[in-house]
Amino acid sequence: MKFILASGSPRRAEILYNAGFDFEILPADVDESVRPGESAADCVRRLAEEKARATARRLAATSDSNSSVVVAADTVVVVENEILGKPASPDDARAMLRQLSGRTHEVLTGLAVLSLPHAEVRVVVESTRVTFARMTDREIEEYIASGEPFDKAGAYAIQAGGGKFVARIEGCYFNVMGLPLARLYSILREVERKDE
């Protein structure tokens, strides 16, 4: 079975590579805007499925689409019911980090696993609670100056410089990086058993 990662995220690819998966990368191009009134869980669930289906359509145009599994994900940070995506500017990153400082937030990842040729899809949402230590204004400014916050949901990377501000996590560490590994592995085993 061919494994396709429908994401250009280097963090998701690193998680899979380090876990010993053999996979190809075929990023999906979808509008990641949150719809009015949409909850964070509904948003990540919808976007993960849209990404998986978009990549599956690209695969269907090739003769290589039979017996493939497409994995897609979408991750957001939620604090007090507010969705924090990727910061658009230093001011945006500063506001996000101040919101997270000294508080607990939730990281939600929608995970879609679509098996071809029948286009059967399984979509789940994984949640991890993350507690930040208090950050000083100087720490926030130094972290922003590092450039790290700008392509990360919630303006931080737990596996890099942002990790030093994380006091506690409850749930899957890899989910905070953008791909709940154990949950993915469990679903892939189910898909393989079904295909046997």
Side-chain angles (χ1 to χ4, degrees), residues 77 96-105 107 129-135 140 143 153-158 161-169 176:
V77 168
M96 288 184 188
L97 292 167
R98 284 183 177 149
Q99 270 188 287
L100 299 178
S101 176
R103 299 169 73 186
T104 299
H105 61 274
V107 178
R129 289 171 56 82
V130 180
T131 302
F132 259 43
R134 291 215 174 274
M135 301 171 72
I140 289 172
Y143 189 49
Y156 76 94
I158 193 170
K164 65 181 170 277
F165 306 118
V166 175
R168 174 183 173 88
I169 72 165
V176 184

Side-chain angles (χ1 to χ4, degrees), residues 87 89-99 140-141 144 150 155:
S89 67
D91 284 343
D92 201 16
R94 190 173 295 113
M96 288 184 188
L97 292 167
R98 284 183 177 149
Q99 270 188 287
I140 289 172
E141 294 308 319
I144 290 169
F150 295 105

Side-chain angles (χ1 to χ4, degrees), residues 45-166:
R45 184 182 289 113
R46 173 181 60 81
L47 288 174
E49 184 170 352
E50 284 180 5
K51 290 175 183 180
R53 291 193 183 281
T55 293
R57 282 191 295 273
R58 286 178 64 192
L59 278 172
T62 73
S63 58
D64 231 8
S65 63
N66 284 340
S67 195
S68 295
V69 62
V70 176
V71 173
D74 190 77
T75 302
V76 295
V77 168
V78 182
V79 59
E80 289 191 354
N81 295 319
E82 183 181 347
I83 297 173
L84 303 184
K86 297 173 184 175
S89 67
D91 284 343
D92 201 16
R94 190 173 295 113
M96 288 184 188
L97 292 167
R98 284 183 177 149
Q99 270 188 287
L100 299 178
S101 176
R103 299 169 73 186
T104 299
H105 61 274
E106 202 173 9
V107 178
L108 296 177
T109 298
L111 175 66
V113 178
L114 187 149
S115 52
L116 294 169
H118 305 296
E120 293 176 17
V121 67
R122 172 123 185 247
V123 187
V124 297
V125 176
E126 185 80 12
S127 173
T128 303
R129 289 171 56 82
V130 180
T131 302
F132 259 43
R134 291 215 174 274
M135 301 171 72
T136 66
D137 286 344
R138 180 178 176 179
E139 286 171 327
I140 289 172
E141 294 308 319
E142 287 174 351
Y143 189 49
I144 290 169
S146 76
E148 188 177 279
F150 295 105
D151 67 339
K152 317 289 188 304
Y156 76 94
I158 193 170
Q159 74 281 8
K164 65 181 170 277
F165 306 118
V166 175

